[in-house]
Amino acid sequence: MPVLRFRAERVYELLNMEPRELSEILFRLKCESEESEGYLEVEVNADRPDMFMGEGLARAVKGILGVEVGWRKPKVVDSGFKLIVEDVPTRPYIVAAVVYNVNIDSSYYLEELIQFQEKLHEGLGRRRRKAAIGLHDADKMPGRTLRYAMAPIDVMFKPLGYTKPVKAREVLERDEKGVEYGWISRSGDLHPFIFSDNEIITMPPVLNSDITKLEVGTRSIFIDVTSTDLQVAEATLNIIVSNLVERPGAYVGIVDVIAPWGGPYPRLKPKIVRLRSVDVNRVLGSSLSDVEVEELLKRMGYNVRIEGEILEIEVPPYRVDVEGVVDVAEDIAIAVGYERLNPTLWQPGMRGEYHGLTRLSRSIRLILVGLGFTEVMRLSLTSPQLLETLGLRGEALEVLNPVQVEYSVLRPAIVASLLDLLTGNKHSPKPVKVFEIGPIVARVEGGVVEDERLGLAVMDDEVSYEDIQAPVYYMLRALGVNFTVRPATTPYTINGRTGEVVVGGVKLGILGEVKPEVLEKLKLEYPVAVAEISLGKLLESLKEY
Amino acid sequence: MLGVDKSSLASLIMLLRDRGVVRVIEEVRVLCRLTSRGLEALSRGLPEEVLIEYLSSKGGVAGLADVAEALGDYASVALGQARRRGLIVVQGGSVRLVQDPVVARSVIRPLRGALESCSKLGSVEPGLLRELRERGLVEEVKERELVVELVEDPRSLLGRVRVEASRLTSRMLQDGSWRMYRFRAYNVEAEPPRVRAARLHFLQEFIEVIRDVMKELGFKEVRGPIVELELFNFDMLFQAQDHPAREIHDSLWVKAEPLDVTRLYSGLVERVAKVHESGWRYKWSPAIASRLMLRSQTTAVSARTLTLKPRPPIRFFTLGRVYRHDVVDASHLPEFHQLDGIEGDHGYTFRDLLGTLKEICGRLGLEVKFKPGYFPFTEPSVEGYVRLPNGRWLELFGAGLFRPEVLEMAGVDYPVGAWGFGIERLAAAYYGIPDIRILYTYDVEYIREFRVKV
């Protein structure tokens, strides 16, 4: 969940509220907040990018408190800017708008604008792949006619923060942002640019030029959004414009986007959702009237018109997450307050049931504790080195992107985990008798298999086959299993001291004394006997019985 | 009187004598005892007595053969003894009484008296005793008798004498000798020797408690694979294929051949493609959905369950391991347990979901607070915070009603609520364990010594 940092005094100024009160309201609006060193740190859910800025936050808070309800279209004028869109196959869409009188009056506000832009890039923009935003000082724009086109990367421009112009190619190859984002829309030696009177003002989605740099003192902002998806571009623009126009005295300037799909932007057109209050009540389990629904929705920034039975709901353009009934229903629930929703106890009168493996495991655990075995728990992720020592590496399924090598493969046998555990118990009082029930994953011909396994281990000054055989036999007999044991081999147990448990012709598991070579490699200075039983197969055999 | 066998008593008496508690005086008495022949003579009569009575009944004379027949084994002894005393004469094959029967009886009487006296352990004249002995009617028996005498006044002795035993044994109970002993007091304040018991794992026990709560509420447990298709882990949960959450930074993928979802789940795949393409406006790729990963949420199991189109009302839960791309530290593990629950029916509502969540938390002893939330696959969504024993609130679960898109992909036509939470964080908070890694400790002694929480 994105964490936003706002200058605390700015927020309290916008809202005229105590911190504790604000924190409670934000909680109701899906946000967890905490004040730290003069900043308000707010966790905002990814579905509310409109709240990624102080003004957006304030708008939501004022709404739910009933201070400012509904949505009003801002004042709109023609900005006089034209944006000619040429063929940019790797990033075809671009929309733009101007907001006048934004007034960047402090470094805190500028900081917040940049944070806003970055968070939008991350989420909606899918790390700039889907959408990228350019913010420019409108008054520094070289000319009123802009052009969006592919151009060779040998073209020169002065990127933000550079002291002199460089080739775009250099930016792509040397600059941090160039390396991170340059590959997204590049096509051979061409890359998209926005020109204003033949000067490059931005290279989307990489970085802006220095010419139109934003700074404290900037009054009006020109916004461009380039994208691979027109709807996402429009939505992003709407969110940004809606937040910037919240500034006192601000208003919108239309940009004429000249393209086959183009037109005047921003298109601050509310989406219409038509529903009946009964639809909402069906979702929530509430019994709200039309009038109540209207009142609650207005607090969430919607406009509502009641037409007979139908409620015509205007979704404000900055709410890109609202599609239909369920989204509207959630907003109504938020406006009511989740703590006031009065949970109902649904009692369908059904009979609960454990999975067969759960029932089997519970029986086994009690038997084994009675035999003196202590239960342990280990991760199924393990190290390739351990498996190599046991001769089990070949059967192991590997993780493609592990974080640590100690957890880069899955155990194909639970005995591996037990032997690993024993290495940490050399100095425990003897005998050490342990068991674990858990999953294994193994590679077999044709794919991957999973199984629930029981593993047992006995470690002592002297250990013999009987020390593992006796408890296993007892347990199987207590469960009523009709089994036989025949000689077998495993890579880690002594040949001649290894048995295979068979039930109805199916191999159920193994038992045996661990090879001294293996014990030595593990630096276990005590002999160990182990057993491993497939609970999946055991359960099957018990069912047939 | 004491009900004790002689040998135990004897050794006890010797013990007391050695301790100077009693004096023991040994007396040896010689007693005579009737042999079996003597006993026979006592009841049947001495052989010569029987002869005299027989002859007397025959008028004082009888044939030798008849006497032999009538007296049987007594015959020869009777004839010999009677003749010795001059009571009979044997002549020409017949036996004749030569004394008057009354006189004859009075001659035998002393010996008879001696026999009777012997049988009553009375005293016997030495001559007669000798005769009884010679005739094998009595034997001498030496009897040893111990007379035990307390040395001092009993009351003062009882104060000092201790025959202590430490352990009450089975032998003492069997032979009653426990009565002779005093069982010395133990220092009940001292520590006993350590016992080492085997134990169940405290985290697994916690997991089973959660299973119990779900079962008691009427949920049916289901299980699903750890190695999971992206189809169920992401696509069915309406997570767009180009969403950052699906990148390598959060989840773990495995080195295995992707399956072919279009072949394995053809109907489902068609619905998924349709919903994704109209919802997210991109070309949905079955190849991406076919990739195998380690499931990052148990909601994948819930998704699988829904595709089976179970008949409502439904209540399912699953509890299993999930995997994340996380570095191991005090509050993160790359692998942990998650609970996922789903329930639904025609007419099921958001308030019903809140009710179930409150009930589950209540049965775990936790107060819950709801907060609006966001998840790609639910709307309305809710986050649950629970209050820990130390008073702090812990963000525990995410929940919500499945989005219509999810239900459409599953092919389900009734509302379904879903929730999930991580087990380890809650277990650590519940047990007051500050570092989540301790839940998977190597240390067997730690598990054995873990304090039980009732």
Side-chain angles (χ1 to χ4, degrees), chain A residues 282-504:
Chain A
R282 187 183 307 127
V283 171
L284 297 179
S286 51
S287 43
L288 298 163
S289 67
D290 289 348
V291 170
E292 284 171 316
V293 169
E294 181 192 2
E295 206 258 314
L296 291 164
L297 282 177
K298 276 160 78 167
R299 286 170 180 247
M300 298 303 287
Y302 296 74
N303 292 336
V304 182
R305 238 164 33 116
I306 304 179
E307 290 204 351
E309 261 191 26
I310 305 286
L311 289 156
E312 199 181 84
I313 297 166
E314 271 183 15
V315 181
Y318 56 80
R319 291 298 304 276
V320 301
D321 59 302
V322 178
E323 296 283 324
V325 175
V326 289
D327 307 291
V328 172
E330 187 185 81
D331 272 339
I332 291 171
I334 290 174
V336 168
Y338 278 25
E339 74 289 347
R340 290 174 53 210
L341 277 177
N342 255 345
T344 44
L345 198 58
W346 188 59
Q347 291 179 307
M350 296 172 76
R351 192 180 300 165
E353 208 180 290
Y354 296 122
H355 191 277
L357 282 175
T358 297
R359 295 199 305 275
L360 178 60
S361 299
R362 285 187 173 196
S363 302
I364 288 176
R365 290 166 76 226
L366 290 175
I367 292 172
L368 289 177
V369 143
L371 285 166
F373 285 80
T374 290
E375 187 176 28
V376 298
M377 288 181 81
R378 312 296 301 150
L379 299 188
S380 59
L381 285 169
T382 190
S383 91
Q385 203 187 14
L386 171 70
L387 296 182
E388 190 73 56
T389 307
L390 302 175
L392 293 171
R393 182 86 172 78
E395 298 161 46
L397 184 62
E398 273 178 47
V399 175
L400 278 173
N401 59 325
V403 180
Q404 296 165 247
V405 72
E406 295 88 343
Y407 306 109
S408 60
V409 288
L410 286 151
R411 66 187 179 192
I414 206 168
V415 157
S417 297
L418 292 178
L419 287 170
D420 183 44
L421 175 117
L422 288 175
T423 63
N425 284 281
K426 284 194 287 211
H427 306 295
S428 295
K430 307 289 177 310
V432 179
K433 290 162 63 173
V434 291
F435 79 94
E436 183 184 3
I437 292 179
I440 60 104
V441 178
R443 277 190 338 153
V444 294
E445 206 177 298
V448 166
V449 291
E450 289 181 35
D451 194 15
E452 187 85 345
R453 295 276 174 93
L454 162 68
L456 293 102
V458 176
M459 176 169 85
D460 204 348
D461 292 314
E462 280 180 28
V463 160
S464 82
Y465 181 78
E466 286 169 359
D467 294 323
I468 201 79
Q469 184 195 27
V472 170
Y473 275 49
Y474 177 89
M475 179 195 80
L476 290 175
R477 286 181 176 144
L479 291 168
V481 180
N482 214 357
F483 68 95
T484 52
V485 175
R486 53 185 188 216
T489 58
T490 79
Y492 50 90
T493 51
I494 299 174
N495 266 344
R497 296 189 174 193
T498 305
E500 185 176 87
V501 181
V502 179
V503 177

Side-chain angles (χ1 to χ4, degrees), chain A residues 30 127 231 283 285 330 338 341-342 344 353-355 358 362 375 378 380 398 400-401 425 450, chain B residues 199 201 208 212 221 226-227 247 251 253 255 281 323 335 350-352 371 373 381 440 442:
Chain A
K30 302 191 182 188
R127 296 206 183 114
Q231 247 181 289
V283 171
E330 187 185 81
Y338 278 25
L341 277 177
N342 255 345
T344 44
E353 208 180 290
Y354 296 122
H355 191 277
T358 297
R362 285 187 173 196
E375 187 176 28
R378 312 296 301 150
S380 59
E398 273 178 47
L400 278 173
N401 59 325
N425 284 281
E450 289 181 35
Chain B
R199 293 279 298 275
H201 196 290
E208 298 306 323
D212 288 341
E221 187 177 13
I226 291 173
V227 179
E247 287 175 27
S251 299
W253 274 264
K255 207 177 195 174
R281 292 182 318 276
Y323 302 77
E335 176 182 344
F350 190 58
R351 282 174 70 200
D352 291 330
K371 169 179 169 286
S381 308
Y440 288 93
Y442 274 89

Side-chain angles (χ1 to χ4, degrees), chain B residues 141-357:
Chain B
V141 163
K142 279 201 178 84
E143 217 168 62
R144 208 171 122 245
E145 198 170 76
L146 295 175
V147 176
V148 184
E149 207 174 41
L150 281 176
V151 165
E152 293 175 29
D153 184 288
R155 275 181 298 254
S156 72
L157 274 175
L158 278 171
R160 286 192 344 252
V161 168
R162 263 181 193 70
V163 184
E164 273 187 358
S166 65
R167 286 174 171 233
L168 176 63
T169 67
S170 166
R171 191 185 61 83
M172 290 178 193
L173 288 165
Q174 282 173 32
D175 66 18
S177 61
W178 62 265
R179 290 177 176 84
M180 303 191 296
Y181 296 98
R182 211 82 62 92
F183 294 96
R184 69 162 181 268
Y186 283 143
N187 177 8
V188 296
E189 290 172 17
E191 278 289 316
R194 293 278 311 277
V195 280
R196 302 177 57 241
R199 293 279 298 275
L200 294 172
H201 196 290
F202 52 95
L203 175 59
Q204 193 62 44
E205 285 291 87
F206 187 79
I207 287 173
E208 298 306 323
V209 165
I210 301 210
R211 282 203 166 103
D212 288 341
V213 168
M214 297 310 290
K215 185 191 174 216
E216 280 163 22
L217 282 168
F219 285 77
K220 182 166 176 210
E221 187 177 13
V222 289
R223 293 195 180 201
I226 291 173
V227 179
E228 182 61 283
L229 287 162
E230 285 203 39
L231 176 67
F232 292 108
N233 199 90
F234 289 128
D235 293 275
M236 261 217 73
L237 298 174
F238 203 42
Q239 192 88 307
Q241 290 182 334
D242 61 354
H243 198 280
R246 285 176 84 150
E247 287 175 27
I248 62 167
H249 311 275
D250 291 324
S251 299
L252 299 174
W253 274 264
V254 291
K255 207 177 195 174
E257 275 299 300
L259 304 180
D260 182 2
V261 295
T262 38
R263 193 175 49 85
L264 293 167
Y265 303 100
S266 53
L268 174 63
V269 161
E270 263 174 54
R271 290 193 300 271
V272 172
K274 173 168 167 271
V275 168
H276 272 247
E277 282 168 6
S278 65
W280 296 115
R281 292 182 318 276
Y282 70 106
K283 187 82 188 83
W284 185 78
S285 154
I288 292 177
S290 299
R291 295 194 308 215
L292 286 171
M293 61 184 287
L294 295 178
R295 71 181 176 203
S296 64
Q297 48 190 344
T298 40
T299 321
V301 179
S302 299
R304 275 183 181 262
T305 308
L306 278 184
T307 57
L308 299 175
K309 301 201 191 49
R311 226 158 42 102
I314 62 164
R315 271 196 148 159
F316 294 102
F317 82 96
T318 190
L319 204 160
R321 300 184 185 212
V322 297
Y323 302 77
R324 298 281 171 90
H325 191 271
D326 272 332
V327 177
V328 178
D329 66 27
S331 46
H332 295 94
L333 291 165
E335 176 182 344
F336 55 96
H337 290 79
Q338 252 190 3
L339 166 82
D340 221 80
I342 56 172
E343 64 179 14
D345 196 356
H346 297 286
Y348 181 80
T349 70
F350 190 58
R351 282 174 70 200
D352 291 330
L353 175 63
L354 296 180
T356 298
L357 294 170

Side-chain angles (χ1 to χ4, degrees), chain A residues 5-12 37-40 108 112:
Chain A
R5 288 178 92 228
F6 304 111
R7 192 70 199 160
E9 65 235 29
R10 220 176 77 74
V11 179
Y12 298 135
E37 289 157 14
Y39 280 89
L40 192 64
Y108 295 132
E112 230 177 271

